Amino acid sequence: MRGWARVLLWVVILLACAGVGAFIGSRSNPFPPGVPDPGARPSDGPSTAPPDLDEWPITMVSRTTHTFRVGGSCTSTWRVKGTLRISATERITGRGVARLQRGNGCDFPSAQVQAQRILVEFLGRRDGQELDLRFREVGRMPAGSQDLGAFVKTLETLRVAIVERPGSEVRKPTRIEDPEDEIYRSATTIRLGA
């Protein structure tokens, strides 16, 4: 066979192989079972799956006082806004931001920087018609600042049960006396709904 005949034979063989491969590829599914097609479009119809979260807006106002053993005290008022999320397993999670309100301060000079915002985490469970809640600090601004009026100290011991309905409200006083004779007090009002 001459050189051009061999080249022509190889071209025909390669074209035939490419044609067979294209035919087989067009008839097969490139995504095995369990692998989603990245080009598939979502259905435009409504979802029949029930939502797995209930949500409640929550607001809190907490007036706090830290009375020092050596005398003097610091006071603060905080307003918290956030959202509670209740899962299908009745577990409550969520976050809110506490903002320091006007009128805070100490009755003595202090060089410490007062926190202006505190990030609050909501935890708890739904128990029938009530939401059992507890709280904790997960951050503050500015970084390295102090909570002079003891908002966080009383917040982290606060436990409340609030009826799950719009406008439901609960008031809770807290008093903590530590072994060093310092006293922390708060009066907190919590409200569900906007």
Side-chain angles (χ1 to χ4, degrees):
M1 264 178 127
R2 298 188 170 204
W4 63 270
R6 278 191 190 151
V7 170
L8 182 61
L9 179 63
W10 278 111
V11 168
V12 169
I13 291 171
L14 290 174
L15 286 173
C17 289
V20 169
F23 177 78
I24 292 171
S26 70
R27 300 288 188 260
S28 65
N29 182 1
F31 302 103
V35 176
D37 181 355
R41 296 184 184 268
S43 168
D44 290 337
S47 173
T48 57
D52 57 359
L53 286 178
D54 289 333
E55 292 190 348
W56 282 100
I58 184 172
T59 57
M60 299 170 57
V61 175
S62 189
R63 292 175 179 81
T64 64
T65 303
H66 177 184
T67 304
F68 294 87
R69 175 179 54 88
V70 295
S73 63
C74 295
T75 60
S76 61
T77 301
W78 294 85
R79 182 172 178 80
V80 182
K81 283 189 172 186
T83 303
L84 300 177
R85 291 177 181 83
I86 308 167
S87 72
T89 61
E90 312 296 338
R91 186 169 168 245
I92 298 172
T93 59
R95 288 204 171 180
V97 176
R99 288 181 166 78
L100 184 65
Q101 305 297 294
R102 292 184 180 177
N104 66 85
C106 300
D107 55 13
F108 53 86
S110 175
Q112 293 178 321
V113 176
Q114 169 65 52
Q116 299 295 311
R117 291 185 186 173
I118 294 178
L119 186 59
V120 176
E121 183 175 34
F122 309 128
L123 304 162
R125 290 194 84 57
R126 179 190 270 152
D127 184 10
Q129 298 297 312
E130 290 187 333
L131 305 179
D132 295 330
L133 302 174
R134 61 188 196 282
F135 313 89
R136 71 177 174 201
E137 175 198 8
V138 290
R140 67 177 67 181
M141 292 183 283
S145 58
Q146 302 299 310
D147 171 27
L148 301 177
F151 170 65
V152 171
K153 181 86 171 174
T154 58
L155 180 77
E156 293 189 344
T157 64
L158 187 63
R159 303 289 182 266
V160 297
I162 187 168
V163 176
E164 187 180 3
R165 69 169 180 256
S168 185
E169 191 172 278
V170 65
R171 291 180 178 86
K172 180 86 176 208
T174 302
R175 178 187 162 96
I176 304 166
E177 192 166 343
D178 72 11
E180 281 127 30
D181 295 327
E182 297 205 354
I183 299 170
Y184 309 91
R185 290 188 187 95
S186 70
T188 303
T189 302
I190 301 170
R191 181 179 173 86
L192 284 184

PDB file of all heavy atoms in Angstrom, residues 150-182:
ATOM      1  N   ALA A 150     -22.892  45.134  83.864  1.00  0.00           N
ATOM      2  CA  ALA A 150     -23.182  43.718  84.144  1.00  0.00           C
ATOM      3  C   ALA A 150     -24.345  43.137  83.351  1.00  0.00           C
ATOM      4  O   ALA A 150     -25.025  42.228  83.810  1.00  0.00           O
ATOM      5  CB  ALA A 150     -23.408  43.495  85.638  1.00  0.00           C
ATOM      6  N   PHE A 151     -24.573  43.622  82.143  1.00  0.00           N
ATOM      7  CA  PHE A 151     -25.613  43.059  81.278  1.00  0.00           C
ATOM      8  C   PHE A 151     -25.337  41.581  81.004  1.00  0.00           C
ATOM      9  O   PHE A 151     -26.207  40.725  81.193  1.00  0.00           O
ATOM     10  CB  PHE A 151     -25.684  43.857  79.969  1.00  0.00           C
ATOM     11  CG  PHE A 151     -26.542  43.226  78.908  1.00  0.00           C
ATOM     12  CD1 PHE A 151     -27.902  43.091  79.084  1.00  0.00           C
ATOM     13  CD2 PHE A 151     -25.982  42.777  77.717  1.00  0.00           C
ATOM     14  CE1 PHE A 151     -28.703  42.521  78.097  1.00  0.00           C
ATOM     15  CE2 PHE A 151     -26.757  42.216  76.731  1.00  0.00           C
ATOM     16  CZ  PHE A 151     -28.130  42.083  76.918  1.00  0.00           C
ATOM     17  N   VAL A 152     -24.113  41.254  80.587  1.00  0.00           N
ATOM     18  CA  VAL A 152     -23.781  39.873  80.230  1.00  0.00           C
ATOM     19  C   VAL A 152     -23.845  38.958  81.447  1.00  0.00           C
ATOM     20  O   VAL A 152     -24.352  37.838  81.375  1.00  0.00           O
ATOM     21  CB  VAL A 152     -22.398  39.795  79.553  1.00  0.00           C
ATOM     22  CG1 VAL A 152     -21.953  38.350  79.375  1.00  0.00           C
ATOM     23  CG2 VAL A 152     -22.425  40.512  78.212  1.00  0.00           C
ATOM     24  N   LYS A 153     -23.372  39.432  82.586  1.00  0.00           N
ATOM     25  CA  LYS A 153     -23.382  38.620  83.819  1.00  0.00           C
ATOM     26  C   LYS A 153     -24.804  38.174  84.168  1.00  0.00           C
ATOM     27  O   LYS A 153     -25.034  37.006  84.512  1.00  0.00           O
ATOM     28  CB  LYS A 153     -22.791  39.442  84.970  1.00  0.00           C
ATOM     29  CG  LYS A 153     -22.716  38.715  86.278  1.00  0.00           C
ATOM     30  CD  LYS A 153     -21.461  37.914  86.383  1.00  0.00           C
ATOM     31  CE  LYS A 153     -21.285  37.370  87.786  1.00  0.00           C
ATOM     32  NZ  LYS A 153     -20.160  36.477  87.874  1.00  0.00           N
ATOM     33  N   THR A 154     -25.771  39.092  84.073  1.00  0.00           N
ATOM     34  CA  THR A 154     -27.150  38.714  84.397  1.00  0.00           C
ATOM     35  C   THR A 154     -27.826  37.990  83.240  1.00  0.00           C
ATOM     36  O   THR A 154     -28.644  37.096  83.456  1.00  0.00           O
ATOM     37  CB  THR A 154     -27.972  39.957  84.797  1.00  0.00           C
ATOM     38  OG1 THR A 154     -27.953  40.907  83.730  1.00  0.00           O
ATOM     39  CG2 THR A 154     -27.421  40.591  86.050  1.00  0.00           C
ATOM     40  N   LEU A 155     -27.466  38.334  81.995  1.00  0.00           N
ATOM     41  CA  LEU A 155     -28.078  37.702  80.823  1.00  0.00           C
ATOM     42  C   LEU A 155     -27.815  36.204  80.807  1.00  0.00           C
ATOM     43  O   LEU A 155     -28.710  35.413  80.514  1.00  0.00           O
ATOM     44  CB  LEU A 155     -27.516  38.345  79.542  1.00  0.00           C
ATOM     45  CG  LEU A 155     -28.046  37.795  78.229  1.00  0.00           C
ATOM     46  CD1 LEU A 155     -29.442  38.349  77.964  1.00  0.00           C
ATOM     47  CD2 LEU A 155     -27.117  38.130  77.079  1.00  0.00           C
ATOM     48  N   GLU A 156     -26.597  35.811  81.142  1.00  0.00           N
ATOM     49  CA  GLU A 156     -26.235  34.407  81.022  1.00  0.00           C
ATOM     50  C   GLU A 156     -26.818  33.538  82.129  1.00  0.00           C
ATOM     51  O   GLU A 156     -26.753  32.315  82.051  1.00  0.00           O
ATOM     52  CB  GLU A 156     -24.717  34.269  80.909  1.00  0.00           C
ATOM     53  CG  GLU A 156     -24.236  34.874  79.593  1.00  0.00           C
ATOM     54  CD  GLU A 156     -22.792  34.623  79.252  1.00  0.00           C
ATOM     55  OE1 GLU A 156     -22.013  34.238  80.146  1.00  0.00           O
ATOM     56  OE2 GLU A 156     -22.435  34.829  78.085  1.00  0.00           O
ATOM     57  N   THR A 157     -27.422  34.138  83.149  1.00  0.00           N
ATOM     58  CA  THR A 157     -28.133  33.356  84.166  1.00  0.00           C
ATOM     59  C   THR A 157     -29.651  33.418  83.966  1.00  0.00           C
ATOM     60  O   THR A 157     -30.396  32.740  84.659  1.00  0.00           O
ATOM     61  CB  THR A 157     -27.815  33.867  85.586  1.00  0.00           C
ATOM     62  OG1 THR A 157     -28.289  35.205  85.721  1.00  0.00           O
ATOM     63  CG2 THR A 157     -26.325  33.812  85.863  1.00  0.00           C
ATOM     64  N   LEU A 158     -30.088  34.237  83.010  1.00  0.00           N
ATOM     65  CA  LEU A 158     -31.520  34.460  82.773  1.00  0.00           C
ATOM     66  C   LEU A 158     -32.157  33.243  82.106  1.00  0.00           C
ATOM     67  O   LEU A 158     -31.663  32.744  81.092  1.00  0.00           O
ATOM     68  CB  LEU A 158     -31.676  35.693  81.876  1.00  0.00           C
ATOM     69  CG  LEU A 158     -33.068  36.223  81.610  1.00  0.00           C
ATOM     70  CD1 LEU A 158     -33.720  36.703  82.900  1.00  0.00           C
ATOM     71  CD2 LEU A 158     -32.992  37.380  80.611  1.00  0.00           C
ATOM     72  N   ARG A 159     -33.253  32.769  82.674  1.00  0.00           N
ATOM     73  CA  ARG A 159     -34.061  31.696  82.095  1.00  0.00           C
ATOM     74  C   ARG A 159     -35.502  32.179  82.098  1.00  0.00           C
ATOM     75  O   ARG A 159     -36.014  32.576  83.151  1.00  0.00           O
ATOM     76  CB  ARG A 159     -33.968  30.412  82.917  1.00  0.00           C
ATOM     77  CG  ARG A 159     -32.552  29.882  83.114  1.00  0.00           C
ATOM     78  CD  ARG A 159     -31.985  29.314  81.827  1.00  0.00           C
ATOM     79  NE  ARG A 159     -30.667  28.765  81.999  1.00  0.00           N
ATOM     80  CZ  ARG A 159     -29.540  29.420  81.781  1.00  0.00           C
ATOM     81  NH1 ARG A 159     -29.571  30.701  81.449  1.00  0.00           N
ATOM     82  NH2 ARG A 159     -28.361  28.835  81.904  1.00  0.00           N
ATOM     83  N   VAL A 160     -36.155  32.138  80.929  1.00  0.00           N
ATOM     84  CA  VAL A 160     -37.546  32.594  80.853  1.00  0.00           C
ATOM     85  C   VAL A 160     -38.381  31.601  80.067  1.00  0.00           C
ATOM     86  O   VAL A 160     -37.880  30.904  79.195  1.00  0.00           O
ATOM     87  CB  VAL A 160     -37.680  34.000  80.208  1.00  0.00           C
ATOM     88  CG1 VAL A 160     -36.976  35.044  81.030  1.00  0.00           C
ATOM     89  CG2 VAL A 160     -37.181  34.017  78.790  1.00  0.00           C
ATOM     90  N   ALA A 161     -39.666  31.563  80.384  1.00  0.00           N
ATOM     91  CA  ALA A 161     -40.658  30.823  79.608  1.00  0.00           C
ATOM     92  C   ALA A 161     -41.681  31.862  79.153  1.00  0.00           C
ATOM     93  O   ALA A 161     -42.224  32.603  79.966  1.00  0.00           O
ATOM     94  CB  ALA A 161     -41.321  29.752  80.459  1.00  0.00           C
ATOM     95  N   ILE A 162     -41.895  31.934  77.837  1.00  0.00           N
ATOM     96  CA  ILE A 162     -42.810  32.916  77.281  1.00  0.00           C
ATOM     97  C   ILE A 162     -43.826  32.200  76.406  1.00  0.00           C
ATOM     98  O   ILE A 162     -43.487  31.272  75.665  1.00  0.00           O
ATOM     99  CB  ILE A 162     -42.040  34.011  76.500  1.00  0.00           C
ATOM    100  CG1 ILE A 162     -42.961  35.136  76.067  1.00  0.00           C
ATOM    101  CG2 ILE A 162     -41.273  33.431  75.329  1.00  0.00           C
ATOM    102  CD1 ILE A 162     -42.223  36.375  75.562  1.00  0.00           C
ATOM    103  N   VAL A 163     -45.088  32.600  76.510  1.00  0.00           N
ATOM    104  CA  VAL A 163     -46.151  31.987  75.719  1.00  0.00           C
ATOM    105  C   VAL A 163     -45.917  32.315  74.251  1.00  0.00           C
ATOM    106  O   VAL A 163     -45.597  33.449  73.889  1.00  0.00           O
ATOM    107  CB  VAL A 163     -47.539  32.493  76.175  1.00  0.00           C
ATOM    108  CG1 VAL A 163     -48.632  31.922  75.288  1.00  0.00           C
ATOM    109  CG2 VAL A 163     -47.776  32.126  77.628  1.00  0.00           C
ATOM    110  N   GLU A 164     -46.065  31.303  73.393  1.00  0.00           N
ATOM    111  CA  GLU A 164     -45.801  31.481  71.961  1.00  0.00           C
ATOM    112  C   GLU A 164     -47.029  32.049  71.256  1.00  0.00           C
ATOM    113  O   GLU A 164     -47.883  31.333  70.734  1.00  0.00           O
ATOM    114  CB  GLU A 164     -45.389  30.140  71.335  1.00  0.00           C
ATOM    115  CG  GLU A 164     -44.951  30.287  69.893  1.00  0.00           C
ATOM    116  CD  GLU A 164     -44.531  28.982  69.257  1.00  0.00           C
ATOM    117  OE1 GLU A 164     -44.630  27.932  69.916  1.00  0.00           O
ATOM    118  OE2 GLU A 164     -44.122  29.020  68.098  1.00  0.00           O
ATOM    119  N   ARG A 165     -47.108  33.389  71.239  1.00  0.00           N
ATOM    120  CA  ARG A 165     -48.147  34.090  70.483  1.00  0.00           C
ATOM    121  C   ARG A 165     -47.689  35.523  70.249  1.00  0.00           C
ATOM    122  O   ARG A 165     -46.891  36.050  71.026  1.00  0.00           O
ATOM    123  CB  ARG A 165     -49.491  34.038  71.206  1.00  0.00           C
ATOM    124  CG  ARG A 165     -49.576  34.830  72.460  1.00  0.00           C
ATOM    125  CD  ARG A 165     -51.023  34.930  72.975  1.00  0.00           C
ATOM    126  NE  ARG A 165     -51.029  35.699  74.196  1.00  0.00           N
ATOM    127  CZ  ARG A 165     -51.156  35.192  75.414  1.00  0.00           C
ATOM    128  NH1 ARG A 165     -51.301  33.902  75.578  1.00  0.00           N
ATOM    129  NH2 ARG A 165     -51.137  35.973  76.467  1.00  0.00           N
ATOM    130  N   PRO A 166     -48.176  36.170  69.191  1.00  0.00           N
ATOM    131  CA  PRO A 166     -47.747  37.536  68.891  1.00  0.00           C
ATOM    132  C   PRO A 166     -48.055  38.483  70.047  1.00  0.00           C
ATOM    133  O   PRO A 166     -49.136  38.444  70.626  1.00  0.00           O
ATOM    134  CB  PRO A 166     -48.556  37.919  67.649  1.00  0.00           C
ATOM    135  CG  PRO A 166     -48.994  36.626  67.058  1.00  0.00           C
ATOM    136  CD  PRO A 166     -49.115  35.656  68.194  1.00  0.00           C
ATOM    137  N   GLY A 167     -47.103  39.317  70.390  1.00  0.00           N
ATOM    138  CA  GLY A 167     -47.295  40.304  71.453  1.00  0.00           C
ATOM    139  C   GLY A 167     -47.104  39.766  72.852  1.00  0.00           C
ATOM    140  O   GLY A 167     -47.211  40.506  73.832  1.00  0.00           O
ATOM    141  N   SER A 168     -46.811  38.484  72.969  1.00  0.00           N
ATOM    142  CA  SER A 168     -46.589  37.900  74.300  1.00  0.00           C
ATOM    143  C   SER A 168     -45.373  38.557  74.943  1.00  0.00           C
ATOM    144  O   SER A 168     -44.378  38.837  74.287  1.00  0.00           O
ATOM    145  CB  SER A 168     -46.377  36.397  74.151  1.00  0.00           C
ATOM    146  OG  SER A 168     -46.268  35.785  75.408  1.00  0.00           O
ATOM    147  N   GLU A 169     -45.474  38.799  76.260  1.00  0.00           N
ATOM    148  CA  GLU A 169     -44.431  39.540  76.960  1.00  0.00           C
ATOM    149  C   GLU A 169     -44.195  38.934  78.333  1.00  0.00           C
ATOM    150  O   GLU A 169     -45.120  38.428  78.961  1.00  0.00           O
ATOM    151  CB  GLU A 169     -44.874  41.006  77.089  1.00  0.00           C
ATOM    152  CG  GLU A 169     -43.803  41.953  77.543  1.00  0.00           C
ATOM    153  CD  GLU A 169     -44.274  43.398  77.455  1.00  0.00           C
ATOM    154  OE1 GLU A 169     -44.216  43.980  76.361  1.00  0.00           O
ATOM    155  OE2 GLU A 169     -44.711  43.932  78.496  1.00  0.00           O
ATOM    156  N   VAL A 170     -42.950  38.986  78.774  1.00  0.00           N
ATOM    157  CA  VAL A 170     -42.615  38.507  80.109  1.00  0.00           C
ATOM    158  C   VAL A 170     -41.577  39.458  80.708  1.00  0.00           C
ATOM    159  O   VAL A 170     -40.730  39.981  79.999  1.00  0.00           O
ATOM    160  CB  VAL A 170     -42.101  37.040  80.077  1.00  0.00           C
ATOM    161  CG1 VAL A 170     -40.808  36.924  79.325  1.00  0.00           C
ATOM    162  CG2 VAL A 170     -41.949  36.469  81.463  1.00  0.00           C
ATOM    163  N   ARG A 171     -41.715  39.705  82.015  1.00  0.00           N
ATOM    164  CA  ARG A 171     -40.740  40.536  82.741  1.00  0.00           C
ATOM    165  C   ARG A 171     -40.046  39.654  83.764  1.00  0.00           C
ATOM    166  O   ARG A 171     -40.696  38.876  84.460  1.00  0.00           O
ATOM    167  CB  ARG A 171     -41.449  41.689  83.442  1.00  0.00           C
ATOM    168  CG  ARG A 171     -41.993  42.710  82.491  1.00  0.00           C
ATOM    169  CD  ARG A 171     -42.706  43.856  83.231  1.00  0.00           C
ATOM    170  NE  ARG A 171     -43.179  44.864  82.312  1.00  0.00           N
ATOM    171  CZ  ARG A 171     -44.339  44.829  81.679  1.00  0.00           C
ATOM    172  NH1 ARG A 171     -45.144  43.804  81.873  1.00  0.00           N
ATOM    173  NH2 ARG A 171     -44.691  45.797  80.855  1.00  0.00           N
ATOM    174  N   LYS A 172     -38.730  39.823  83.845  1.00  0.00           N
ATOM    175  CA  LYS A 172     -37.968  38.941  84.739  1.00  0.00           C
ATOM    176  C   LYS A 172     -36.878  39.743  85.460  1.00  0.00           C
ATOM    177  O   LYS A 172     -35.978  40.264  84.834  1.00  0.00           O
ATOM    178  CB  LYS A 172     -37.333  37.835  83.899  1.00  0.00           C
ATOM    179  CG  LYS A 172     -36.515  36.854  84.668  1.00  0.00           C
ATOM    180  CD  LYS A 172     -37.348  35.754  85.230  1.00  0.00           C
ATOM    181  CE  LYS A 172     -36.479  34.735  85.912  1.00  0.00           C
ATOM    182  NZ  LYS A 172     -37.007  33.431  85.932  1.00  0.00           N
ATOM    183  N   PRO A 173     -36.962  39.814  86.802  1.00  0.00           N
ATOM    184  CA  PRO A 173     -35.858  40.418  87.564  1.00  0.00           C
ATOM    185  C   PRO A 173     -34.794  39.360  87.863  1.00  0.00           C
ATOM    186  O   PRO A 173     -35.106  38.173  87.998  1.00  0.00           O
ATOM    187  CB  PRO A 173     -36.541  40.881  88.844  1.00  0.00           C
ATOM    188  CG  PRO A 173     -37.690  39.937  89.018  1.00  0.00           C
ATOM    189  CD  PRO A 173     -38.113  39.498  87.645  1.00  0.00           C
ATOM    190  N   THR A 174     -33.553  39.791  87.934  1.00  0.00           N
ATOM    191  CA  THR A 174     -32.449  38.895  88.265  1.00  0.00           C
ATOM    192  C   THR A 174     -31.552  39.582  89.287  1.00  0.00           C
ATOM    193  O   THR A 174     -31.303  40.786  89.183  1.00  0.00           O
ATOM    194  CB  THR A 174     -31.615  38.561  87.008  1.00  0.00           C
ATOM    195  OG1 THR A 174     -32.462  37.976  86.032  1.00  0.00           O
ATOM    196  CG2 THR A 174     -30.482  37.605  87.323  1.00  0.00           C
ATOM    197  N   ARG A 175     -31.087  38.812  90.276  1.00  0.00           N
ATOM    198  CA  ARG A 175     -30.130  39.323  91.263  1.00  0.00           C
ATOM    199  C   ARG A 175     -29.098  38.247  91.518  1.00  0.00           C
ATOM    200  O   ARG A 175     -29.435  37.097  91.795  1.00  0.00           O
ATOM    201  CB  ARG A 175     -30.835  39.692  92.573  1.00  0.00           C
ATOM    202  CG  ARG A 175     -29.869  40.173  93.653  1.00  0.00           C
ATOM    203  CD  ARG A 175     -30.598  40.356  94.975  1.00  0.00           C
ATOM    204  NE  ARG A 175     -29.673  40.397  96.093  1.00  0.00           N
ATOM    205  CZ  ARG A 175     -29.200  41.492  96.646  1.00  0.00           C
ATOM    206  NH1 ARG A 175     -29.572  42.676  96.174  1.00  0.00           N
ATOM    207  NH2 ARG A 175     -28.371  41.444  97.662  1.00  0.00           N
ATOM    208  N   ILE A 176     -27.830  38.633  91.409  1.00  0.00           N
ATOM    209  CA  ILE A 176     -26.722  37.710  91.652  1.00  0.00           C
ATOM    210  C   ILE A 176     -25.799  38.372  92.664  1.00  0.00           C
ATOM    211  O   ILE A 176     -25.425  39.532  92.502  1.00  0.00           O
ATOM    212  CB  ILE A 176     -25.922  37.428  90.360  1.00  0.00           C
ATOM    213  CG1 ILE A 176     -26.841  36.906  89.262  1.00  0.00           C
ATOM    214  CG2 ILE A 176     -24.779  36.477  90.640  1.00  0.00           C
ATOM    215  CD1 ILE A 176     -26.208  36.915  87.891  1.00  0.00           C
ATOM    216  N   GLU A 177     -25.460  37.629  93.704  1.00  0.00           N
ATOM    217  CA  GLU A 177     -24.474  38.112  94.679  1.00  0.00           C
ATOM    218  C   GLU A 177     -23.320  37.127  94.654  1.00  0.00           C
ATOM    219  O   GLU A 177     -23.486  35.949  94.941  1.00  0.00           O
ATOM    220  CB  GLU A 177     -25.096  38.206  96.071  1.00  0.00           C
ATOM    221  CG  GLU A 177     -24.232  38.970  97.036  1.00  0.00           C
ATOM    222  CD  GLU A 177     -24.992  39.369  98.305  1.00  0.00           C
ATOM    223  OE1 GLU A 177     -26.233  39.348  98.302  1.00  0.00           O
ATOM    224  OE2 GLU A 177     -24.311  39.678  99.293  1.00  0.00           O
ATOM    225  N   ASP A 178     -22.129  37.621  94.282  1.00  0.00           N
ATOM    226  CA  ASP A 178     -21.008  36.705  94.154  1.00  0.00           C
ATOM    227  C   ASP A 178     -20.237  36.597  95.474  1.00  0.00           C
ATOM    228  O   ASP A 178     -20.492  37.348  96.420  1.00  0.00           O
ATOM    229  CB  ASP A 178     -20.112  37.083  92.970  1.00  0.00           C
ATOM    230  CG  ASP A 178     -19.297  38.339  93.200  1.00  0.00           C
ATOM    231  OD1 ASP A 178     -19.230  38.839  94.333  1.00  0.00           O
ATOM    232  OD2 ASP A 178     -18.706  38.830  92.225  1.00  0.00           O
ATOM    233  N   PRO A 179     -19.285  35.658  95.570  1.00  0.00           N
ATOM    234  CA  PRO A 179     -18.548  35.449  96.822  1.00  0.00           C
ATOM    235  C   PRO A 179     -17.739  36.666  97.270  1.00  0.00           C
ATOM    236  O   PRO A 179     -17.377  36.768  98.435  1.00  0.00           O
ATOM    237  CB  PRO A 179     -17.619  34.269  96.496  1.00  0.00           C
ATOM    238  CG  PRO A 179     -18.260  33.569  95.362  1.00  0.00           C
ATOM    239  CD  PRO A 179     -18.988  34.618  94.585  1.00  0.00           C
ATOM    240  N   GLU A 180     -17.446  37.590  96.357  1.00  0.00           N
ATOM    241  CA  GLU A 180     -16.698  38.792  96.733  1.00  0.00           C
ATOM    242  C   GLU A 180     -17.621  39.942  97.120  1.00  0.00           C
ATOM    243  O   GLU A 180     -17.211  41.092  97.169  1.00  0.00           O
ATOM    244  CB  GLU A 180     -15.777  39.204  95.584  1.00  0.00           C
ATOM    245  CG  GLU A 180     -14.514  38.365  95.535  1.00  0.00           C
ATOM    246  CD  GLU A 180     -14.315  37.758  94.160  1.00  0.00           C
ATOM    247  OE1 GLU A 180     -14.745  38.364  93.171  1.00  0.00           O
ATOM    248  OE2 GLU A 180     -13.729  36.667  94.088  1.00  0.00           O
ATOM    249  N   ASP A 181     -18.899  39.643  97.359  1.00  0.00           N
ATOM    250  CA  ASP A 181     -19.895  40.628  97.784  1.00  0.00           C
ATOM    251  C   ASP A 181     -20.205  41.693  96.737  1.00  0.00           C
ATOM    252  O   ASP A 181     -20.632  42.796  97.079  1.00  0.00           O
ATOM    253  CB  ASP A 181     -19.487  41.301  99.104  1.00  0.00           C
ATOM    254  CG  ASP A 181     -19.459  40.312 100.257  1.00  0.00           C
ATOM    255  OD1 ASP A 181     -20.282  39.379 100.232  1.00  0.00           O
ATOM    256  OD2 ASP A 181     -18.621  40.459 101.151  1.00  0.00           O
ATOM    257  N   GLU A 182     -20.008  41.375  95.485  1.00  0.00           N
ATOM    258  CA  GLU A 182     -20.460  42.275  94.432  1.00  0.00           C
ATOM    259  C   GLU A 182     -21.855  41.828  94.027  1.00  0.00           C
ATOM    260  O   GLU A 182     -22.170  40.637  94.022  1.00  0.00           O
ATOM    261  CB  GLU A 182     -19.490  42.272  93.254  1.00  0.00           C
ATOM    262  CG  GLU A 182     -18.128  42.797  93.678  1.00  0.00           C
ATOM    263  CD  GLU A 182     -17.306  43.386  92.547  1.00  0.00           C
ATOM    264  OE1 GLU A 182     -17.724  43.297  91.383  1.00  0.00           O
ATOM    265  OE2 GLU A 182     -16.248  43.945  92.859  1.00  0.00           O
TER     266      GLU A 182
END
